[in-house]
Structure formats: C-alpha cells, structure tokens
C-alpha cells in the first residue's frame, strides 16, 4: 500500500512538471509570435527589407530625380502682403510647409549639397515698401527684372546711410545684418529675383517687429522722443504682417518723399549696373557678369568698387545673366569652386546634369529654378524660336573656376582617349582645337 502511495506521488509530480513545461512553452511561442508580428509591421511601415535595405512604401509616391535640380516656382505657395507678394524655392525644416513632394525634393537637395543658396521672387506694388529689415544668416543679392525702386542700406555703428535708385537689369547687394529697405517709386510693379547665401531657413527681422517686441520704456529711453514713453504708446501694431507695406491712406501719412542718390563711391558697394556691363560672347550666346575680378581686370572705376565689396564680405555670390540664342547651347561644363542656381526669365530649353551615379535631363521654362551642385557636369540649351534668358548665381565671391567638356576632352592625350574608348588614336584628330574663350 505504501509503495502505491509513493508511486502516485511521483506521478503527480511528473504531471505537474509536464503541465508547467507545456504552459511555459506555449507562452514562449506566443511571445515570439507577437515579436515577429510587431517586427514585420515595423519593417513594412519603415520600408526596410530582410536584408536591411530600404524600399518604398506601397502607397509612397516616387519622385522623379530631376526635382533634385528643378523647381517649378510658379506652383509654389504665394505669400501675400498688403503691398505685394513673395514666392520661395528653399529648404524647410517642417516638411508640411512644402506644397508638393517635388518641391520638397528640391529643398532637401539644396540643403544636402550645402548650396549656400535660397531663391525668392519679390513683387512690390506701386508705392509699396519692402519694410526695413535685416538677415541674421545670409547676404542678399538681387536682380531687378521689372520696375523702378529706391534702396536704402544702413551698415554697422556710425556707417553712412547709403541710398540709391535702381531700374530693370541692375543688381543690388545687401551684406548680412545690414538694415535695408526697397521702395517701389514707379507706376508699375517691381519684380526682384533674389538670392540669399544660406541653404538653411532664412532668418529675418523686420524693423516694425523689432520695435513692437521691445518694452515701451526701453524703446523710449533708446529713441528719446518728445513725450517719452507716452509717445511710444501711440504706435499700434497692425493685424496684418507688414513685410511688404502699403497703407490705404498713404497719401495722408506721407506729404514729402525724397529719393536721394548717394555718391557713387558709396552706392557701388551695394549696386551694379549689370545691363550696362561688358558682354562676353560665346558661340551659343552671351554672358554678362556681376563678379569679383582679381586686380579689377577689365572693370571701370565704379565696377571695381563693387568687385572689392563682394570679395571683402564672406559668403557672397557671383551673379550673371546668360542669354542662349535660339537653338544655341551652353556646352557641358562644371565648376571647381561653386554651386550654381538659376531662374528662367524668358524662353524655353533643356538642362542636363550628371552627378555621381545620377543623370537627369529635363525641360525648363519661364519661372523655373535650376540647381547644379559644385563639380557636377551640366549643360543648358535653347529649344524655342526666342532666346533663352536666365539669371544665374554662383556661391563664390572669388573668381569662378570652370572647366568645359571640349577643354578637358582636348586636353587629354589622344593615346589615353584611344585606350579609354577602344578607338584608334588617329580618330581623335577629328575633334577641333577649342577656340579661346572670353566669357565664363
């Protein structure tokens, strides 16, 4: 009897242990299944495959690679103000601020490549004012496409205030942190094409915002008006952003406006007559330049002032207009020391760019912005009956360094080319010697 009881006790222990093993195993299998399901869901969500590569999400739109180099500015958001409007081709930290995937692709590209450039168009209505302001993180270069404007620039400390008038085809320049304004003094809208030397978000402060953000007693002590702080309190901040200002009662507010022109030695630090500058022809078109030249080579006395001003300030740009005749070609080339950004003013054409592992060819038209990273081979050709006209900016305040396809091809020994292309050496005599260039 005692032996049976002992056997039954051992059996119960065995059954309990077996049950415990079954329960533990079941829990383990369920846990592993849950981890696998979650991991699979995560991989699907992030687009990561079993081998660690990233694949597009099923519902994710594929963006054409050309939009790394092309922005259809006309499709971007228009920022409206009482006195005009602004449109941007720029990088945004908040991806929700992009109007489209294509616009985001361009913004990410100019940021990734460290372009040191942001582009914008500024339209000011007749009598409108781009409020006095300054930029914390960028110089500003502009080209007046249309209209007439009066410019003001205030430098550091006791610097003389410089004012001047500009007309279509001329260039303006505002070094970083200089207070400046633009007043439309003509009867038609002013249209400026603006380049800023940052690939990050542009940081700007308008004078009216600075004023209203300053405590009233501090403003009164700094400005010392008659009536003191009580006079300061008579200023009222407008509900609408006054970045481009045009009060409906302007004629009542302003009775005597004068548009003084400062001496040339001051003006040409911030101004360049691009349309009146020398023309540099090439077989397919013409260049005109607003740039630094070592020792002022080829420049007149006032142009030398602008040249030295560009070189004196950090991170300035070189600007140019490029006119390509109907069916003409700006041949393949690349720049050693600058990214390039451009805006199509008129005409239509095709652009192409070759980056390491990336090739893109695309059509361009009025209002398009293009971008070529430093070292990338690129070309532009005209496709229309009319000339293709662009304003171009290069992120260097030094002389632009460029190499063209015909130069590097002809400069390579013909026996090297024969070996590279598997072609007889004599065949390379068919390529003509490049003519000496006077332009880019």
């Amino acid at each position: 009897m005692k032996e049976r009881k002992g056997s039954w006790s051992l059996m119960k222990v065995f059954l309990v242990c077996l049950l415990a093993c079954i329960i533990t195993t079941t829990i383990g299998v369920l846990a592993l299944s849950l981890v696998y399901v979650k991991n699979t869901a995560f991989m699907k969500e992030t687009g990561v495959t079993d081998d660690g590569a990233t694949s597009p999400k099923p519902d994710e739109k594929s963006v054409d690679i050309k939009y790394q180099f092309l922005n259809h500015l006309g499709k971007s958001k228009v920022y409206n103000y009482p006195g005009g409007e602004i449109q941007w081709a720029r990088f945004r930290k908040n991806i929700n601020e992009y109007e489209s995937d294509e616009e985001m692709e361009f913004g990410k590209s100019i940021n990734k490549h460290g372009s040191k450039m942001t582009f914008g168009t500024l339209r000011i209505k007749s009598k409108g004012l781009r409020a006095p302001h300054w930029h914390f993180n960028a110089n500003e270069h502009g080209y007046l496409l249309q209209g007439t404007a009066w410019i003001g620039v205030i430098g550091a400390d006791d610097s003389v205030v410089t004012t001047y008038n500009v007309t279509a085809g001329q260039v303006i320049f505002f070094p970083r942190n200089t207070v400046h304004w633009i007043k439309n003094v003509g009867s038609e809208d002013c249209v400026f094409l603006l380049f800023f030397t940052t690939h990050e978000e542009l940081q700007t402060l308008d004078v009216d915002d600075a004023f209203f953000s300053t405590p009233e007693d501090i403003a009164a002590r700094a400005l010392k008006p008659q009536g003191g702080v009580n006079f300061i309190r008579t200023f009222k901040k407008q509900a609408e952003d006054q970045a481009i200002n045009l009060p409906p009662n302007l004629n009542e507010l302003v009775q005597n406006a004068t548009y003084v022109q400062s001496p040339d030695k001051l003006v040409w630090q911030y101004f360049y007559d691009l349309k009146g500058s020398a023309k540099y022809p090439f077989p397919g078109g013409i260049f005109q330049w607003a740039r630094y030249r070592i020792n002022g080579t080829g420049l007149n006395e006032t142009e030398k002032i602008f040249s030295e001003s560009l070189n004196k300030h950090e991170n300035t740009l070189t600007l140019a207009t490029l006119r390509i005749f109907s069916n003409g070609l700006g041949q393949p080339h690349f720049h050693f020391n600058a990214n390039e950004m451009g805006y199509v003013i008129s005409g239509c054409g095709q652009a192409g760019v070759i980056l390491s592992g990336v090739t893109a060819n695309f059509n361009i038209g009025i209002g398009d912005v293009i971008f070529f990273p430093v070292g990338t081979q690129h070309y532009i050709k005209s496709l229309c009956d009319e000339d293709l006209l662009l304003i171009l900016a290069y992120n260097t305040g030094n002389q632009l360094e460029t190499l063209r396809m015909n130069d590097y091809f002809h400069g390579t020994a013909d026996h090297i080319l024969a070996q590279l292309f598997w072609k007889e050496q004599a065949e390379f005599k068919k390529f003509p010697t490049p003519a000496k260039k006077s332009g880019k």
Side-chain angles (χ1 to χ4, degrees):
M1 189 71 177
K2 287 182 180 181
E3 289 180 3
R4 288 184 180 179
K5 285 184 179 181
S7 298
W8 178 242
S9 296
L10 289 172
M11 180 63 71
K12 286 196 289 183
V13 170
F14 171 75
L15 291 174
V16 169
C17 290
L18 179 62
L19 181 60
C21 288
I22 293 172
I23 293 173
T24 302
T25 301
T26 303
I27 292 173
V29 171
L30 289 173
L32 287 172
S33 299
L34 184 60
V35 169
Y36 176 78
V37 169
K38 285 186 175 181
N39 189 53
T40 302
F42 173 78
M43 291 170 68
K44 287 182 178 179
E45 182 179 346
T46 57
V48 177
T49 60
D50 290 335
D51 60 0
T54 301
S55 60
K57 301 175 190 177
D59 59 344
E60 189 177 79
K61 181 183 176 182
S62 177
V63 180
D64 194 316
I65 198 168
K66 71 181 181 182
Y67 290 108
Q68 292 184 28
F69 316 105
L70 172 67
N71 180 293
H72 294 309
L73 191 64
K75 296 181 180 180
S76 66
K77 180 178 179 178
V78 179
Y79 292 84
N80 290 295
Y81 303 93
E85 62 186 43
I86 300 175
Q87 285 183 284
W88 294 102
R90 60 179 173 176
F91 167 74
R92 304 298 286 171
K93 290 181 181 178
N94 183 353
I95 62 173
N96 295 319
E97 295 183 17
Y98 290 110
E99 292 293 295
S100 65
D101 291 337
E102 291 79 11
E103 186 181 28
M104 180 171 66
E105 191 74 7
F106 185 84
K108 288 164 57 180
S109 176
I110 62 175
N111 183 262
K112 178 182 71 175
H113 290 289
S115 68
K116 293 187 178 179
M117 284 190 282
T118 288
F119 179 80
T121 58
L122 168 65
R123 179 179 293 274
I124 308 176
K125 299 175 184 177
S126 178
K127 299 183 180 180
L129 169 70
R130 174 61 183 103
H133 64 283
W134 66 95
H135 307 294
F136 304 146
N137 63 336
N139 300 303
E140 178 179 352
H141 297 250
Y143 175 84
L144 180 53
L145 181 61
Q146 171 188 303
T148 306
W150 186 61
I151 308 294
V153 187
I154 308 173
D157 300 322
D158 57 353
S159 296
V160 175
V161 178
T162 301
T163 56
Y164 58 94
N165 294 277
V166 293
T167 57
Q170 296 177 328
V171 164
I172 57 176
F173 168 55
F174 306 128
R176 185 178 65 179
N177 288 324
T178 54
V179 174
H180 55 277
W181 68 81
I182 304 174
K183 165 77 174 179
N184 184 343
V185 295
S187 58
E188 64 176 337
D189 288 359
C190 276
V191 178
F192 283 90
L193 309 178
L194 303 176
F195 296 90
F196 303 85
T197 60
T198 181
H199 52 264
E200 302 291 346
E201 292 191 344
L202 185 63
Q203 299 173 13
T204 301
L205 184 61
D206 290 358
V207 165
D208 58 329
D209 291 329
F211 177 85
F212 288 113
S213 298
T214 303
E216 293 171 341
D217 62 317
I218 300 299
R221 292 179 64 179
L223 300 175
K224 298 179 173 62
Q226 294 180 12
V229 71
N230 289 327
F231 178 72
I232 296 295
R233 288 170 180 160
T234 65
F235 288 76
K236 302 300 179 185
K237 185 175 177 63
Q238 300 299 309
E240 193 171 3
D241 192 335
Q242 298 295 302
I244 311 176
N245 161 285
L246 185 58
N249 62 335
L250 181 61
N251 292 334
E252 299 174 15
L253 299 172
V254 178
Q255 287 80 43
N256 182 26
T258 57
Y259 305 113
V260 178
Q261 179 83 4
S262 297
D264 282 351
K265 66 180 181 180
L266 297 176
V267 170
W268 280 76
Q269 296 178 78
Y270 312 111
F271 163 86
Y272 192 83
D273 184 15
L274 185 57
K275 69 178 180 182
S277 66
K279 295 181 179 180
Y280 295 87
F282 63 95
I286 296 172
F287 270 106
Q288 286 183 281
W289 294 95
R291 60 179 172 178
Y292 169 70
R293 295 300 298 270
I294 296 175
N295 300 322
T297 305
L299 305 178
N300 62 36
E301 291 306 310
T302 49
E303 290 174 335
K304 287 179 182 177
I305 297 172
F306 181 80
S307 173
E308 291 303 321
S309 179
L310 284 185
N311 191 246
K312 178 178 70 174
H313 294 94
E314 292 182 356
N315 299 323
T316 55
L317 302 177
T318 292
L319 261 59
T321 51
L322 168 61
R323 182 180 295 276
I324 301 179
F325 303 142
S326 177
N327 297 312
L329 171 68
Q331 72 153 291
H333 63 281
F334 61 92
H335 307 295
F336 289 70
N337 62 337
N339 297 296
E340 178 179 348
M341 187 176 285
Y343 175 87
V344 181
I345 295 174
S346 61
C348 66
Q350 183 185 74
V353 58
I354 304 173
L355 192 60
S356 178
V358 174
T359 301
N361 298 281
F362 48 88
N363 291 331
I364 55 175
I366 296 172
D368 285 341
V369 178
I370 54 176
F371 169 61
F372 304 127
V374 61
T376 58
Q377 180 171 292
H378 54 277
Y379 70 85
I380 304 174
K381 70 175 181 178
S382 172
L383 296 178
C384 294
D385 292 335
E386 65 175 312
D387 293 350
L388 175 62
L389 178 63
L390 303 97
I391 179 74
L392 302 175
Y394 307 84
N395 73 312
T396 179
N398 294 314
Q399 286 196 179
L400 186 63
E401 299 173 358
T402 301
L403 185 61
R404 294 163 185 78
M405 187 179 200
N406 62 342
D407 288 324
Y408 71 70
F409 209 84
H410 187 268
T412 304
D414 55 11
H415 63 88
I416 297 297
L417 293 174
Q419 180 174 339
L420 175 64
F421 289 103
W422 293 52
K423 199 169 185 65
E424 292 184 11
Q425 184 174 350
E427 291 288 296
F428 292 93
K429 301 297 183 184
K430 295 180 179 179
F431 291 109
T433 301
K436 187 176 180 180
K437 295 157 289 296
S438 59
K440 203 173 177 183

